Amino acid sequence: MSSKRFLQSVDLDWLKEAYFSNPEQRRSLKKGDVLMKQGEKNDKLYLILSGSLVAHLTNEEGNNFEVFRSTTDMFVGVYSFFSKTFSSYATILAEEDSELAFIDSHQDVVEDDECRTFVEHFMPIVVSEISARQLMAQRVAMEKENTLKKLLQTEKMATLGQMAAGLAHELNNAIGVLQRKTEWLSEEISEYLNEKDTKGMFSFFKIGLKKGQFLSSSDVRKRQKELQSKYPLDNNLAKKLAKTGLTDDELLPFKEEILEGAERMNYYWEIGSTFHDMLLASNHAVHVVKSVKQLGVANVGKTEDLDLNESIKEALSLLKSILRRVDLKLELGELKTISANSGELVQIWLNIIKNGCESMLNSNTVSPTILVKSTMKGRWINVIIEDNGPGIPDDLKDKIFQPSFTTKKDGLSFGLGLGLAIVQRLVENYSGKIGVESRPGKTTFKIKLPVS
């Protein structure tokens, strides 16, 4: 109950008429005027007729803290008046132009029909003041608790940043070597295969190196059937050739010898595709180390205008192994370009998709399926990543984006610790939004990013 509501249960009209109706006991304050100062004498009890007052305490360091506010029909000076110390414990000033009535320490009791004493007349005011101070103390305590939580979170992020910096330092050199040597080896193998090629197969290596395996498992099955309807290929050869994603036009020059050449085409393409994935993975590893190192630090990486759908395809290439056991549905719409860092976008999709796949496989979900969909709406790109796994328990939904959060429930893992914390930071760094909706059988991550 607020002080004002408490006083409304008292016979306030009678008190005002009996004790505060003397026109000679009035005081007017302009906005900013000080009514009384902390530690100075005050032997008056004031009733606010109009306006509002605010009280501040000053600590030893000279910092001011608000302790209460009072408005029309409320009292100030209660502590100093009734404690008989006649010393104000706070500084009180006008928040706006105000009109006050008062009584002083020499006030005589006003008789009423019940012959109540002065203390009995004003006891409700004292109780109201105690109630108001208690509510203020509760509010201050809650604010302190919230501030402490934020401080602890900031310190936690700083500690994580220090740990991540150490981790990044240890990994950076090793990953750098892998990246450089992979680039060198791919160039050397490319030259070697080009020199040894006598049957025009080198072009398949270049296609694999440039694109990798970009078809989903369902697309591969569809393409396999198409190839078997056009060429005399068994299931194994048709599947190998379908994985390459080669078009009918690219296969046309080899139509007459496709039965003998399919294995060789796949061989050249697979070497190129393997180097494509190795280069992609090494570049991504470099970026991940950088992102973990900068966790909790405001960062804007090198950006360029790019096609967001391409970053999704790169993430899927990195997850090729786990996606073999999942039915992938890809619905990529026509999008405007976005000003972003390609590696950061890849990291967003990779973490969320991997999370969904692992959740479905760990729970033995029947017909595990993951949908990745991109659409354009106004100036926003919307990406939906949806799986049909066990869902995220309600008590964990608010925690999965917390740094270092990882837990298991009924044998299932939820969250990737730093992974989802970094995802949230990356999305917010692009002024985007990320949310999750989950129930058993359907978990949906929704990401919105502004276009260039």
Side-chain angles (χ1 to χ4, degrees):
M1 181 183 293
S2 69
S3 299
K4 195 164 185 178
R5 286 178 57 197
F6 190 98
L7 285 172
Q8 287 173 348
S9 64
V10 182
D11 192 354
L12 186 58
D13 290 337
W14 184 88
L15 280 177
K16 290 169 69 174
E17 177 63 29
Y19 288 97
F20 296 94
S21 58
N22 185 350
E24 296 182 2
Q25 292 179 300
R26 293 282 191 275
R27 183 164 179 183
S28 298
L29 298 176
K30 295 292 184 181
K31 181 179 179 180
D33 285 352
V34 175
L35 176 65
M36 59 186 79
K37 291 185 178 181
Q38 182 176 337
E40 293 187 356
K41 181 180 179 181
N42 173 61
D43 64 348
K44 295 180 176 61
L45 176 66
Y46 291 92
L47 169 66
I48 303 175
L49 302 178
S50 64
S52 62
L53 306 181
V54 61
H56 295 282
L57 275 177
T58 304
N59 63 12
E60 294 178 355
E61 289 76 31
N63 298 317
N64 290 329
F65 300 91
E66 181 182 326
V67 288
F68 67 83
R69 289 171 181 265
S70 299
T71 59
T72 304
D73 286 341
M74 297 178 69
F75 294 85
V76 292
V78 176
Y79 171 78
S80 53
F81 186 84
F82 287 102
S83 66
K84 300 300 183 182
T85 62
F86 301 124
S87 176
S88 176
Y89 84 98
T91 297
I92 303 175
L93 51 86
E95 270 196 313
E96 56 183 307
D97 292 353
S98 303
E99 188 73 20
L100 312 176
F102 66 86
I103 58 174
D104 58 27
S105 57
H106 303 294
Q107 175 68 47
D108 294 327
V109 64
V110 177
E111 294 184 2
D112 62 7
D113 295 339
E114 300 177 14
C115 298
R116 290 178 296 176
T117 64
F118 184 83
V119 171
E120 287 175 323
H121 286 159
F122 284 91
M123 182 58 69
I125 296 173
V126 176
V127 173
S128 174
E129 182 71 9
I130 294 173
S131 174
R133 302 293 164 84
Q134 184 181 33
L135 290 174
M136 176 64 73
Q138 289 174 349
R139 182 171 68 84
V140 170
M142 291 176 66
E143 289 175 352
K144 284 183 177 179
E145 183 178 359
N146 291 335
T147 301
L148 180 60
K149 286 180 179 179
K150 291 178 181 178
L151 178 61
L152 290 174
Q153 180 66 12
T154 300
E155 291 178 347
K156 185 177 181 181
M157 292 294 286
T159 302
L160 279 171
Q162 293 169 358
M163 293 170 59
L167 175 66
H169 178 75
E170 295 295 326
L171 294 177
N172 198 48
N173 290 337
I175 291 175
V177 171
L178 290 173
Q179 182 187 38
R180 292 190 299 274
K181 295 302 181 181
T182 300
E183 291 174 351
W184 175 84
L185 187 58
S186 67
E187 292 171 0
E188 292 295 312
I189 293 295
S190 177
E191 289 183 12
Y192 174 80
L193 292 177
N194 192 25
E195 291 174 1
K196 297 297 182 181
D197 179 34
T198 59
K199 296 184 178 181
M201 295 290 175
F202 182 67
S203 60
F204 299 116
F205 169 84
K206 290 195 295 183
I207 292 172
L209 182 62
K210 181 179 180 181
K211 296 183 178 180
Q213 183 179 333
F214 58 89
L215 294 182
S216 67
S217 55
S218 59
D219 289 334
V220 169
R221 290 193 295 269
K222 182 180 178 181
R223 180 60 175 158
Q224 179 183 351
K225 292 178 181 178
E226 290 176 356
L227 290 171
Q228 285 185 294
S229 68
K230 296 178 180 178
Y231 305 105
L233 300 170
D234 61 28
N235 286 336
N236 185 44
L237 278 179
K239 184 176 181 181
K240 285 185 176 181
L241 203 55
K243 286 170 60 179
T244 66
L246 294 169
T247 65
D248 290 337
D249 289 340
E250 290 168 329
L251 292 174
L252 188 60
F254 305 89
K255 182 177 181 181
E256 300 302 325
E257 54 185 19
I258 197 165
L259 185 61
E260 296 78 13
E263 192 79 51
R264 198 70 179 164
M265 293 175 194
N266 176 263
Y267 174 73
Y268 271 77
W269 171 86
E270 193 146 23
I271 294 175
S273 179
T274 298
F275 276 110
H276 171 274
D277 291 353
M278 290 171 64
L279 289 167
L280 197 63
S282 61
N283 289 331
H284 181 67
V286 170
H287 181 78
V288 168
V289 169
K290 180 181 177 183
S291 294
V292 172
K293 184 177 179 180
Q294 294 174 337
L295 179 65
V297 179
N299 173 57
V300 179
K302 183 179 179 181
T303 63
E304 57 184 328
D305 286 343
L306 50 83
D307 183 355
L308 182 141
N309 286 336
E310 290 302 316
S311 67
I312 292 177
K313 292 176 183 177
E314 287 188 25
L316 296 176
S317 294
L318 290 169
L319 294 170
K320 195 179 302 179
S321 176
I322 196 171
L323 286 171
R324 290 194 183 103
R325 295 178 286 166
V326 174
D327 185 16
L328 172 65
K329 294 183 178 179
L330 202 55
E331 300 178 11
L332 303 181
E334 186 174 343
L335 308 176
K336 295 179 181 178
T337 58
I338 181 173
S339 181
N341 180 292
S342 178
E344 290 180 343
L345 293 183
V346 169
Q347 195 168 354
I348 293 171
W349 320 132
L350 186 144
N351 274 287
I352 299 175
I353 295 170
K354 184 181 179 184
N355 227 22
C357 291
E358 289 181 340
S359 178
M360 290 187 291
L361 297 175
N362 289 340
S363 64
N364 298 316
T365 299
V366 178
S367 301
T369 304
I370 194 156
L371 166 67
V372 182
K373 182 178 181 180
S374 65
T375 57
M376 191 81 223
K377 187 174 182 181
R379 59 179 293 270
W380 292 93
I381 293 175
N382 298 295
V383 178
I384 290 177
I385 300 174
E386 185 175 287
D387 67 69
N388 64 336
I392 304 171
D394 291 338
D395 59 328
L396 302 185
K397 286 179 186 176
D398 295 334
K399 300 178 181 178
I400 62 172
F401 292 110
Q402 293 178 3
S404 293
F405 174 76
T406 180
T407 188
K408 287 189 175 182
K409 192 175 181 79
D410 300 329
L412 306 180
S413 296
F414 297 94
L416 291 179
L418 288 177
L420 289 179
I422 292 174
V423 164
Q424 186 180 52
R425 178 178 64 81
L426 292 175
V427 171
E428 291 177 350
N429 277 354
Y430 287 115
S431 300
K433 303 174 184 177
I434 182 169
V436 60
E437 297 175 359
S438 186
R439 57 178 171 78
K442 185 177 180 180
T443 295
T444 305
F445 280 86
K446 297 180 179 180
I447 302 95
K448 294 179 64 176
L449 294 170
V451 297
S452 302

